[in-house]
Amino acid sequence: MKRWIHVLSITFLITGITYITNSVKLSALSQKSAPLIKGRYAVVLDATTGEVLYEKDANVPAAPASLAKLMTALLVMEKVRPNEEIAITQHARNTEDGSAKISLRVGETLKRDEAIKLLLTISVDYVAESIAEHISGSGKGFAALMNERARELGIQATFHNASGADGKHHHASAHDLAVIAKEVIRYPAVLSAMHSVSTTVQTSAQYIEIHNNGRKELYQDPHAIASKSGHTKRAGYTLVTVDEKNGRRIITVVLQSNKENAYKDAQKITTYVLD
């Protein structure tokens, strides 16, 4: 009996210490003035626990723009084998005709991780749509799969397409997108593609250098390790960043910001949380 009382006492002690520690952390954060940002919606999530560390209307649905590609990337990693070849389709190519980012021919193929680079480093819409057709046979079928996976993650995001192009029923909250990011950055190929400013891509027909010079602004933040941005008329500028300090990793999402302030917004609130 005494042994059980001793075990229970230790359990309560550990629980109490954990509670006090977490309370101290929350108290210290709440005592700091939350930064003012231009973005209309935002959230910071602990990448390990999923705890919300900062929020600004984080559960309000909004157009995600290319942050929808995070869900596309998650389904690629879950559904496509590493050496499986994804073909560029005519239907997909028509979605971004004349893209200045990169020119791939209809029928040209690329392996899974090469597709991830084009999806998350330079955000090529027709690669996203080719992935959709490869996995589900059609963009509509893939959107249904995206929404099914969202429900499995416990979020209410509704996706209309694989690329993030504006659509009437295409929306996700900042928190929704942070939850997706938390899941997908577990894959090294995804984190690498979200980290790269420049990299190389090999297809069945060519070997190409790709560059995302806009991402250079991310690394003004000393703790930043990855990002994905987006922009459409309806969404404004959207951004997810991943930061790490002293082994602690956080995910920041900013929605409906503008070109000049999206990265600044993210850095303000990550600094608020990490410092």
Side-chain angles (χ1 to χ4, degrees), residues 37-38 62 70 74 76 82 102 137 153 168 175 181 188 222 264:
I37 63 171
K38 297 291 184 182
L70 295 172
L74 178 59
V76 170
I102 188 172
L153 291 172
K168 185 178 179 181
H175 184 264
K264 292 182 178 69

Side-chain angles (χ1 to χ4, degrees), residues 88-108:
I88 302 301
T89 70
Q90 183 65 64
H91 182 265
R93 195 69 179 84
N94 292 342
T95 64
E96 199 177 18
D97 192 34
S99 170
K101 295 175 183 176
I102 188 172
S103 181
L104 302 182
R105 296 187 299 274
V106 173
E108 198 166 343

Side-chain angles (χ1 to χ4, degrees), residues 27-215:
S27 177
L29 193 60
S30 63
Q31 287 174 12
K32 295 192 290 184
S33 296
L36 297 175
I37 63 171
K38 297 291 184 182
R40 190 170 177 181
Y41 313 112
V43 73
V44 179
L45 215 64
D46 186 295
T48 302
T49 66
E51 178 186 2
V52 175
L53 305 172
Y54 166 94
E55 70 98 17
K56 178 183 178 182
D57 293 330
N59 293 307
V60 177
S66 280
L67 299 196
K69 291 185 176 78
L70 295 172
M71 178 61 89
T72 301
L74 178 59
L75 291 170
V76 170
M77 301 309 295
E78 292 177 345
K79 304 289 186 182
V80 179
R81 297 184 301 274
N83 290 323
E84 199 169 328
E85 297 281 350
I86 299 167
I88 302 301
T89 70
Q90 183 65 64
H91 182 265
R93 195 69 179 84
N94 292 342
T95 64
E96 199 177 18
D97 192 34
S99 170
K101 295 175 183 176
I102 188 172
S103 181
L104 302 182
R105 296 187 299 274
V106 173
E108 198 166 343
T109 64
L110 57 163
K111 290 184 170 63
R112 184 193 70 186
D113 290 359
E114 304 302 294
I116 286 290
K117 293 177 190 178
L118 294 179
L119 195 67
L120 299 178
T121 303
I122 61 170
S123 202
V124 182
D125 285 357
Y126 66 80
V127 170
E129 298 301 334
S130 293
I131 287 167
E133 293 182 33
H134 178 82
I135 292 175
S136 297
S138 69
K140 185 177 180 180
F142 189 76
L145 186 63
M146 295 172 81
N147 294 327
E148 180 183 326
R149 189 69 180 92
R151 303 301 168 266
E152 290 173 358
L153 291 172
I155 59 177
Q156 297 304 310
T158 299
F159 296 103
H160 185 70
N161 56 62
S163 65
D166 283 339
K168 185 178 179 181
H169 303 293
H170 193 69
H171 54 76
S173 69
H175 184 264
D176 289 342
L177 293 163
V179 169
I180 297 167
K182 176 178 177 290
E183 191 74 11
V184 77
I185 63 172
R186 297 186 299 110
Y187 295 97
V190 167
L191 199 60
S192 176
M194 291 175 66
H195 171 83
S196 298
V197 172
S198 298
T199 189
T200 56
V201 173
Q202 185 170 5
T203 76
S204 59
Q206 53 187 314
Y207 190 76
I208 324 145
E209 288 188 5
I210 59 173
H211 307 278
N212 182 347
N213 293 321
R215 189 171 282 168

